[in-house]
Amino acid sequence: MVRHRYKKFIISILIVFWGFFQTVLAQDPLFSQFFYNAIYLNPANAGSANDPRIFLSYRNQWPAFGSTFVTYQGSYDQYIKSIQGGLGINIIRDNISGGIINSTKVDLMYSRRYIINYNWTVQAGLQTSFNFFGVNASSVNANLPSYTTTQPDVGVGILAYSRFSQWGLSVDHLNSGYLKVNPTFVPSPMKISLYYSRNFKVFNPRVINSRTYIVSPALLVQKQGPSLYVNYGLGVRYETILAGVFVRTNVPLQVTNTIFALGVTLGSWQLGYSYDYNMLSLKNMMPLTGAHEVTLTRTFPPDPTRQRYGPVPCPKFVTE
């Protein structure tokens, strides 16, 4: 009953602020565990691990209101020697207010690998996407139109990595078109993402068989339309256990979320969980909000007879 009232409350907000919410619809989903979403983050990551891998993600935004903002994401990619690059596919679905408003995006990716020298390798990626957007207001007493629309999209990216560090730059929505939201058109603003990470080994050289920790600071800057977010923090890994703390800020550098992440690696499987603690609630802004996020990844065991090509050194709190 309480969640039903919350749902009606959210729907009322969507109706009252429909013009404002149309702008929000044009924004891409924002994941807290961006270090897991390699393919979603940058098409140049396709095939970067060499071995086939699968990413599955679930995010529940504002969990206190029930299934108000829920995002599902899955991707697959691998390196193919014959084309000297990687192929990938990514599918992401956004459900708002129990599916009253929903969008599905299918990304097809290709990356090309270039070995610069002994230390540095570069991958360039191209992404073609199809966006399916719809509103189904027939199940509620809401003054919203019901319709569906489809729109193609294009994105590019570049990734450079060495043994211990990597950086990436991607640009989505190059066509910068308009998403039809009956009876108007909402701009689909270009999104620019800049990412950097580095791995450090921390141990006591004076102790034999000292515990070794992998510390991985990371930075992600994303701009889409008027929104600019900066995510920064670090992950710490010891054997199969990982933990991380990240902070998300907006302009002018107001802290919006503190993100706590935990995970475990079991063979070729990695399971991660994170919770977004909303710092704005401390200022009585957007109370009862936050986000749960669960990610499951699997890297398929390599063929021992196959030659290795030097995978991207992803942060050690993600993969081996």
Side-chain angles (χ1 to χ4, degrees):
M1 179 64 69
V2 175
R3 286 191 174 185
H4 180 68
R5 287 200 295 265
Y6 279 147
K7 185 175 180 180
K8 292 181 65 177
F9 172 72
I10 293 297
I11 294 174
S12 299
I13 291 178
L14 300 186
I15 296 173
V16 174
F17 299 101
W18 179 241
F20 165 79
F21 195 71
Q22 287 179 342
T23 303
V24 177
L25 291 175
Q27 298 289 321
D28 290 352
L30 186 64
F31 285 97
S32 297
Q33 298 182 50
F34 56 88
F35 40 81
Y36 275 112
N37 286 275
I39 304 301
Y40 176 71
L41 184 62
N42 189 339
N45 274 306
S48 60
N50 289 331
D51 303 313
R53 58 181 174 177
I54 293 176
F55 292 78
L56 300 174
S57 297
Y58 166 83
R59 180 177 175 86
N60 187 351
Q61 187 85 17
W62 298 7
F65 296 106
S67 300
T68 304
F69 295 93
V70 176
T71 302
Y72 306 90
Q73 184 253 347
S75 64
Y76 173 86
D77 74 296
Q78 72 174 89
Y79 182 83
I80 301 177
K81 180 182 178 181
S82 60
I83 63 174
Q84 300 182 17
L87 296 178
I89 181 172
N90 178 68
I91 301 175
I92 183 168
R93 181 172 177 83
D94 238 359
N95 285 344
I96 301 175
S97 294
I100 296 175
I101 301 174
N102 59 80
S103 66
T104 302
K105 186 169 179 277
V106 180
D107 305 317
L108 303 176
M109 307 171 192
Y110 166 73
S111 69
R112 174 81 177 193
R113 182 174 296 181
Y114 302 92
I115 299 178
I116 306 302
N117 53 43
Y118 178 79
N119 293 318
W120 286 97
T121 301
V122 173
Q123 289 193 184
L126 175 65
Q127 172 179 303
T128 300
S129 307
F130 300 92
N131 299 287
F132 306 92
F133 178 82
V135 174
N136 180 17
S138 60
S139 59
V140 295
N141 185 18
N143 187 23
L144 297 176
S146 295
Y147 59 90
T148 58
T149 184
T150 304
Q151 178 180 329
D153 204 351
V154 177
V156 296
I158 187 170
L159 175 73
Y161 58 91
S162 65
R163 183 179 177 184
F164 299 106
S165 63
Q166 65 168 310
W167 67 267
L169 175 67
S170 63
V171 182
D172 294 307
H173 312 304
L174 279 174
N175 54 333
S176 294
Y178 286 83
L179 183 66
K180 185 177 181 181
V181 181
N182 262 359
T184 62
F185 288 84
V186 175
S188 180
M190 182 182 298
K191 183 178 72 174
I192 302 174
S193 302
L194 176 64
Y195 172 76
Y196 174 80
S197 71
R198 184 175 177 85
N199 298 326
F200 297 92
K201 284 187 177 182
V202 179
F203 61 96
N204 187 348
R206 298 181 180 179
V207 177
I208 299 177
N209 296 326
S210 171
R211 291 184 177 181
T212 300
Y213 299 88
I214 304 298
V215 179
S216 304
L219 170 70
L220 171 65
V221 180
Q222 286 187 317
K223 186 180 190 310
Q224 186 173 19
S227 300
L228 175 62
Y229 291 100
V230 180
N231 299 264
Y232 53 92
L234 58 84
V236 178
R237 177 185 178 114
Y238 174 68
E239 294 184 348
T240 62
I241 305 300
L242 57 94
V245 178
F246 293 84
V247 174
R248 180 182 300 128
T249 64
N250 58 18
V251 174
L253 295 181
Q254 179 186 38
V255 177
T256 60
N257 298 89
T258 300
I259 303 163
F260 303 95
L262 292 172
V264 62
T265 299
L266 300 173
S268 59
W269 295 87
Q270 296 92 36
L271 176 64
Y273 167 79
S274 66
Y275 179 75
D276 292 22
Y277 183 77
N278 191 349
M279 305 300 292
L280 296 179
S281 62
L282 299 177
K283 303 176 182 179
N284 295 321
M285 300 170 58
M286 301 178 66
L288 301 178
T289 59
H292 295 291
E293 192 169 304
V294 179
T295 302
L296 179 66
T297 71
R298 189 329 178 37
T299 302
F300 292 90
D303 182 350
T305 64
R306 183 163 61 89
Q307 181 182 355
R308 309 301 294 166
Y309 304 101
V312 169
C314 294
K316 289 298 182 181
F317 54 92
V318 180
T319 61
E320 290 285 359

